[in-house]
Amino acid sequence: MSQADLNAPNLFDLSNRVALVTGAGSGIGQRIALGLAQCGADVALLDRRTDGGLQDTADAIAATGRRAIQIGADVTSGAAIAEAVARTEAELGPLRLALNAAGIANAEACENMSEEQYQTLMDINMKGVWLSCQAEARAMLAHGQGGSIVNIASMSGVIVNRGLNQVHYNASKAGVIHMSKSMAMEWVDRGIRVNSISPGYTATPMNTRPEMVHQTKEFEDQTPMQRMADVNEMVGPAVFLLSDAASYCTGVDLLVDGGFCCW
Ligand code: NAP
């Protein structure tokens, strides 16, 4: 075994790899985008608004010495995602890493939910992940250098959150988990790994929505670790799955939930 093989920290090194992160203007996507840069990657930052947090993410990455570009695009548009991937490769180089975090959440009793509310969420949370993976994998298959994709699902794809009426959200996240496994198997012999991360309750703007705020204490009580996750705690799992440290992991859903699903 060579010394390089024994040099464990290098397993997580993302130097000179190009990454695309969706939902990079806020919350989990924003923090992971910075984390990838801190491990050496150059990062294309995609979000639907260019007047949100994208500039902050780009500034934080610039401070690490890595390159970042900002892309305003809606993940429900296949053409927009394809253009984003093309721009990423033209400006930063061959796409090797992708982290798909763009998503929304809202709540309504199933019997009262409108078709529009259901469909809008499904289009972003599930079709948006499929379109993102499709465009990212097309680029990875074309350049032949391999790639690693991580989709942000949720523990809501595994359990039903007590007190939250969000049948569409829970179903969309179960869909992301199984879609990730399905794509992992389609590309397993062509150098692309696909995994998902399922966070538990995490302190982000998504959880400041009105139906959540009064429940924060309950969420903490229901979690074995007795607290919500900090976005910083999503970086390690994402870097692990995207890096060579996870070279034998594909089709995995990694629960990062403070033990929630054990109870
Ligand atoms: P967040 O702070 O709201 O970040 C999500 C980002 O995605 C926002 O900037 C949002 O823009 C963007 N986005 C939404 N729709 C988009 C679209 N169609 N195209 C491009 N960008 C779009 O939420 P977060 O908590 O970080 O969530 C990130 C991911 O983690 C989501 O998939 C979420 O379901 C998942 N997750 C979150 C938690 C949690 O407790 N926070 C737990 C489990 C899983 P806007 O601000 O304009 O909507």
Side-chain angles (χ1 to χ4, degrees), residues 23-29 46-49 73-76 101-104 124-125 152-155 169 173 198-207 228:
S26 180
I28 292 171
L46 183 152
D47 213 295
R48 64 178 166 187
R49 287 181 296 126
D74 192 316
V75 295
T76 63
I104 62 167
I124 295 172
N125 286 13
I152 303 299
S154 170
M155 70 174 181
Y169 182 85
K173 294 303 184 178
S198 284
Y201 294 115
T202 308
T204 73
M206 185 176 274
N207 283 331
M228 294 174 82

Side-chain angles (χ1 to χ4, degrees), residues 21-34 47 53 57 99 101 202-207 230-232 234-235:
V21 177
T22 76
S26 180
I28 292 171
Q30 180 175 50
R31 184 61 188 91
I32 290 176
L34 173 59
D47 213 295
T57 323
L99 186 293
T202 308
T204 73
M206 185 176 274
N207 283 331
D230 185 278
V231 281
N232 290 305
M234 298 300 147
V235 175

Side-chain angles (χ1 to χ4, degrees), residues 126 151-158 171-182 195-198 251-253 255:
M126 210 152 84
N151 296 317
I152 303 299
S154 170
M155 70 174 181
S156 305
V158 181
S172 76
K173 294 303 184 178
V176 168
I177 293 168
H178 207 55
M179 196 160 59
S180 301
K181 291 180 190 290
S182 304
N195 296 289
S196 56
I197 291 174
S198 284
V252 168
D253 179 54
L255 279 161

